[in-house]
mmCIF file of all heavy atoms in Angstrom:
data_model
loop_
_atom_site.group_PDB
_atom_site.id
_atom_site.type_symbol
_atom_site.label_atom_id
_atom_site.label_comp_id
_atom_site.label_asym_id
_atom_site.label_seq_id
_atom_site.Cartn_x
_atom_site.Cartn_y
_atom_site.Cartn_z
ATOM 1 N N THR Q 69 6.725 -14.155 -9.447
ATOM 2 C CA THR Q 69 6.048 -13.338 -8.506
ATOM 3 C C THR Q 69 5.773 -11.926 -9.059
ATOM 4 O O THR Q 69 6.645 -11.364 -9.712
ATOM 5 C CB THR Q 69 6.838 -13.228 -7.194
ATOM 6 O OG1 THR Q 69 7.050 -14.549 -6.666
ATOM 7 C CG2 THR Q 69 6.136 -12.382 -6.126
ATOM 8 N N VAL Q 70 4.654 -11.415 -8.763
ATOM 9 C CA VAL Q 70 4.287 -10.065 -9.173
ATOM 10 C C VAL Q 70 3.859 -9.285 -7.886
ATOM 11 O O VAL Q 70 3.086 -9.736 -7.119
ATOM 12 C CB VAL Q 70 3.093 -10.085 -10.165
ATOM 13 C CG1 VAL Q 70 2.611 -8.668 -10.514
ATOM 14 C CG2 VAL Q 70 3.475 -10.861 -11.427
ATOM 15 N N ASP Q 71 4.427 -8.064 -7.756
ATOM 16 C CA ASP Q 71 4.078 -7.185 -6.662
ATOM 17 C C ASP Q 71 3.202 -6.041 -7.169
ATOM 18 O O ASP Q 71 3.378 -5.550 -8.237
ATOM 19 C CB ASP Q 71 5.296 -6.557 -5.988
ATOM 20 C CG ASP Q 71 6.227 -7.569 -5.364
ATOM 21 O OD1 ASP Q 71 5.746 -8.594 -4.847
ATOM 22 O OD2 ASP Q 71 7.437 -7.355 -5.426
ATOM 23 N N VAL Q 72 2.252 -5.648 -6.331
ATOM 24 C CA VAL Q 72 1.422 -4.473 -6.665
ATOM 25 C C VAL Q 72 1.578 -3.489 -5.549
ATOM 26 O O VAL Q 72 1.447 -3.758 -4.367
ATOM 27 C CB VAL Q 72 -0.076 -4.853 -6.715
ATOM 28 C CG1 VAL Q 72 -0.950 -3.626 -6.968
ATOM 29 C CG2 VAL Q 72 -0.314 -5.841 -7.839
ATOM 30 N N ALA Q 73 1.900 -2.213 -5.928
ATOM 31 C CA ALA Q 73 1.913 -1.129 -4.958
ATOM 32 C C ALA Q 73 0.899 -0.132 -5.388
ATOM 33 O O ALA Q 73 0.908 0.400 -6.523
ATOM 34 C CB ALA Q 73 3.326 -0.451 -4.979
ATOM 35 N N LEU Q 74 -0.116 0.074 -4.536
ATOM 36 C CA LEU Q 74 -1.227 0.997 -4.855
ATOM 37 C C LEU Q 74 -0.804 2.422 -4.612
ATOM 38 O O LEU Q 74 -0.098 2.725 -3.675
ATOM 39 C CB LEU Q 74 -2.435 0.687 -3.984
ATOM 40 C CG LEU Q 74 -2.978 -0.744 -4.111
ATOM 41 C CD1 LEU Q 74 -4.028 -0.998 -3.039
ATOM 42 C CD2 LEU Q 74 -3.519 -0.995 -5.495
ATOM 43 N N GLY Q 75 -1.210 3.297 -5.522
ATOM 44 C CA GLY Q 75 -0.844 4.716 -5.394
ATOM 45 C C GLY Q 75 -1.997 5.594 -5.033
ATOM 46 O O GLY Q 75 -3.176 5.119 -4.895
ATOM 47 N N LYS Q 76 -1.753 6.872 -4.821
ATOM 48 C CA LYS Q 76 -2.753 7.881 -4.419
ATOM 49 C C LYS Q 76 -3.920 7.984 -5.412
ATOM 50 O O LYS Q 76 -5.068 8.298 -5.009
ATOM 51 C CB LYS Q 76 -2.093 9.234 -4.246
ATOM 52 C CG LYS Q 76 -1.147 9.283 -3.071
ATOM 53 C CD LYS Q 76 -1.845 9.770 -1.870
ATOM 54 C CE LYS Q 76 -0.777 9.932 -0.721
ATOM 55 N NZ LYS Q 76 -1.447 9.961 0.533
ATOM 56 N N ALA Q 77 -3.654 7.692 -6.683
ATOM 57 C CA ALA Q 77 -4.717 7.818 -7.697
ATOM 58 C C ALA Q 77 -5.580 6.579 -7.847
ATOM 59 O O ALA Q 77 -6.509 6.545 -8.637
ATOM 60 C CB ALA Q 77 -4.079 8.164 -9.041
ATOM 61 N N PHE Q 78 -5.325 5.524 -7.033
ATOM 62 C CA PHE Q 78 -6.082 4.285 -7.145
ATOM 63 C C PHE Q 78 -7.490 4.561 -6.678
ATOM 64 O O PHE Q 78 -7.781 5.178 -5.661
ATOM 65 C CB PHE Q 78 -5.465 3.177 -6.235
ATOM 66 C CG PHE Q 78 -6.343 1.947 -6.250
ATOM 67 C CD1 PHE Q 78 -6.290 1.050 -7.258
ATOM 68 C CD2 PHE Q 78 -7.210 1.730 -5.182
ATOM 69 C CE1 PHE Q 78 -7.084 -0.060 -7.247
ATOM 70 C CE2 PHE Q 78 -7.997 0.576 -5.154
ATOM 71 C CZ PHE Q 78 -7.951 -0.323 -6.162
ATOM 72 N N LYS Q 79 -8.491 4.060 -7.480
ATOM 73 C CA LYS Q 79 -9.901 4.215 -7.143
ATOM 74 C C LYS Q 79 -10.550 2.893 -6.808
ATOM 75 O O LYS Q 79 -11.230 2.716 -5.793
ATOM 76 C CB LYS Q 79 -10.645 4.919 -8.302
ATOM 77 C CG LYS Q 79 -10.152 6.261 -8.604
ATOM 78 C CD LYS Q 79 -10.407 7.250 -7.549
ATOM 79 C CE LYS Q 79 -9.954 8.648 -7.953
ATOM 80 N NZ LYS Q 79 -9.553 9.496 -6.893
ATOM 81 N N SER Q 80 -10.391 1.903 -7.711
ATOM 82 C CA SER Q 80 -11.050 0.614 -7.504
ATOM 83 C C SER Q 80 -10.510 -0.446 -8.454
ATOM 84 O O SER Q 80 -9.921 -0.086 -9.538
ATOM 85 C CB SER Q 80 -12.586 0.736 -7.692
ATOM 86 O OG SER Q 80 -12.868 1.034 -9.072
ATOM 87 N N VAL Q 81 -10.751 -1.692 -8.106
ATOM 88 C CA VAL Q 81 -10.426 -2.806 -9.007
ATOM 89 C C VAL Q 81 -11.514 -2.843 -10.104
ATOM 90 O O VAL Q 81 -12.709 -2.675 -9.842
ATOM 91 C CB VAL Q 81 -10.418 -4.166 -8.215
ATOM 92 C CG1 VAL Q 81 -10.234 -5.337 -9.157
ATOM 93 C CG2 VAL Q 81 -9.371 -4.117 -7.140
ATOM 94 N N ALA Q 82 -11.097 -3.033 -11.313
ATOM 95 C CA ALA Q 82 -12.057 -3.037 -12.426
ATOM 96 C C ALA Q 82 -13.026 -4.260 -12.301
ATOM 97 O O ALA Q 82 -12.666 -5.316 -11.755
ATOM 98 C CB ALA Q 82 -11.327 -3.135 -13.756
ATOM 99 N N SER Q 83 -14.250 -4.011 -12.766
ATOM 100 C CA SER Q 83 -15.214 -5.145 -12.760
ATOM 101 C C SER Q 83 -14.863 -6.227 -13.721
ATOM 102 O O SER Q 83 -14.040 -5.981 -14.623
ATOM 103 C CB SER Q 83 -16.610 -4.576 -13.173
ATOM 104 O OG SER Q 83 -16.612 -4.247 -14.546
ATOM 105 N N LYS Q 84 -15.392 -7.408 -13.497
ATOM 106 C CA LYS Q 84 -15.110 -8.511 -14.421
ATOM 107 C C LYS Q 84 -15.461 -8.192 -15.870
ATOM 108 O O LYS Q 84 -14.677 -8.483 -16.767
ATOM 109 C CB LYS Q 84 -15.860 -9.803 -13.965
ATOM 110 C CG LYS Q 84 -15.328 -10.342 -12.658
ATOM 111 C CD LYS Q 84 -16.105 -11.604 -12.260
ATOM 112 C CE LYS Q 84 -15.631 -12.117 -10.936
ATOM 113 N NZ LYS Q 84 -16.432 -13.267 -10.485
#
Side-chain angles (χ1 to χ4, degrees):
T69 302
V70 175
D71 297 326
V72 175
L74 301 172
K76 293 268 184 199
F78 175 80
K79 300 294 183 208
S80 64
V81 175
S83 70
K84 290 179 184 179

